Amino acid sequence: LSDESEGTETELPDSFDIEFRNVWFRYPGTEKDILKGLTFRIHHGEKASIVGENGEGKSTMIKLLLGLFTPDQGEILVGGKNLHDYPLRVRTKMFGPVFQDFPRYSITLKENIGIGDIDEIDNENKIKRAAIKSKAHAFAQKFEKGYDTLLGRDFEGGVDISGGQWQRIAIARALMGDKPNI
């Protein structure tokens, strides 16, 4: 889908209530419904945990919320409006997901975080704020080259870091772009 073919809402909603109304979904080319009439509402500012067995639709629900897939039936509302009323460029400002399998780029720490908002990749203050929020700043300060440290062992001089440190970087990347703090 092109961004132009989608919704016309150009501003982020005032409230980030998230509502699934009778959402049904099955992956293309399969016969099994993953979600069957899923209905719930999370109010702006409310915290919610999604738990369940493997294969019960938790990740699918998030992929639908991000607009990566469209429900077969039902609707997803954000701020009282259908998710697809917002074009992709607006939806990407709403959410900052960090999936289980996040990318680990063999580039500098600063670049690894900055690519979360490519328009701000050179904004060192914004990168540092995201790193502080994600707790990546604590280990960044210990590197000899700080945020200019090359990560990974793919290139000479690269620093190998732990899985937990990579996760903090992925979280910092998601925090770039001024996502709403709900």
Side-chain angles (χ1 to χ4, degrees):
L1 286 176
S2 77
D3 195 31
E4 289 70 39
S5 69
E6 297 184 38
T8 58
E9 292 293 327
T10 59
E11 300 294 323
L12 292 173
D14 294 329
S15 167
F16 280 86
D17 290 2
I18 295 171
E19 186 173 0
F20 277 55
R21 287 186 184 165
N22 193 32
V23 172
W24 289 73
F25 180 78
R26 76 171 54 163
Y27 284 99
T30 67
E31 298 298 318
K32 180 184 176 195
D33 289 313
I34 302 298
L35 300 178
K36 303 172 189 171
L38 180 64
T39 299
F40 68 88
R41 184 174 188 175
I42 302 171
H43 297 277
H44 182 96
E46 186 176 28
K47 307 289 185 226
S49 297
I50 311 299
V51 295
E53 298 291 329
N54 290 345
E56 292 199 357
K58 298 177 302 293
S59 294
T60 299
M61 181 188 71
I62 298 303
K63 290 174 185 176
L64 288 166
L65 180 60
L66 295 173
L68 301 176
F69 292 99
T70 302
D72 296 323
Q73 182 180 324
E75 62 181 339
I76 300 169
L77 306 173
V78 177
K81 296 180 182 168
N82 191 292
L83 179 65
H84 289 286
D85 287 346
Y86 301 99
L88 179 61
R89 65 182 148 58
V90 175
R91 289 195 317 262
T92 59
K93 295 181 186 310
M94 289 183 191
F95 306 109
V98 177
F99 291 102
Q100 293 174 41
D101 297 321
F102 48 84
R104 301 172 186 211
Y105 300 113
S106 293
I107 55 181
T108 66
L109 173 58
K110 175 173 54 179
E111 293 165 332
N112 258 288
I113 296 171
I115 59 175
D117 184 353
I118 202 72
D119 294 331
E120 299 288 337
I121 196 163
D122 293 322
N123 186 332
E124 293 188 17
N125 288 330
K126 195 169 194 176
I127 290 168
K128 186 175 178 181
R129 281 195 309 271
I132 289 169
K133 285 182 185 178
S134 74
K135 299 189 170 93
H137 181 70
F139 62 83
Q141 296 180 97
K142 296 177 183 174
F143 294 142
E144 184 179 325
K145 294 182 180 178
Y147 286 88
D148 291 319
T149 300
L150 179 63
L151 300 180
R153 294 283 186 192
D154 292 336
F155 301 105
E156 188 175 325
V159 173
D160 198 20
I161 61 174
S162 73
Q165 289 171 318
W166 275 114
Q167 189 173 42
R168 295 286 177 196
I169 292 167
I171 292 167
R173 190 181 303 145
L175 292 170
M176 289 291 294
D178 295 326
K179 308 295 188 279
N181 189 4
I182 50 175

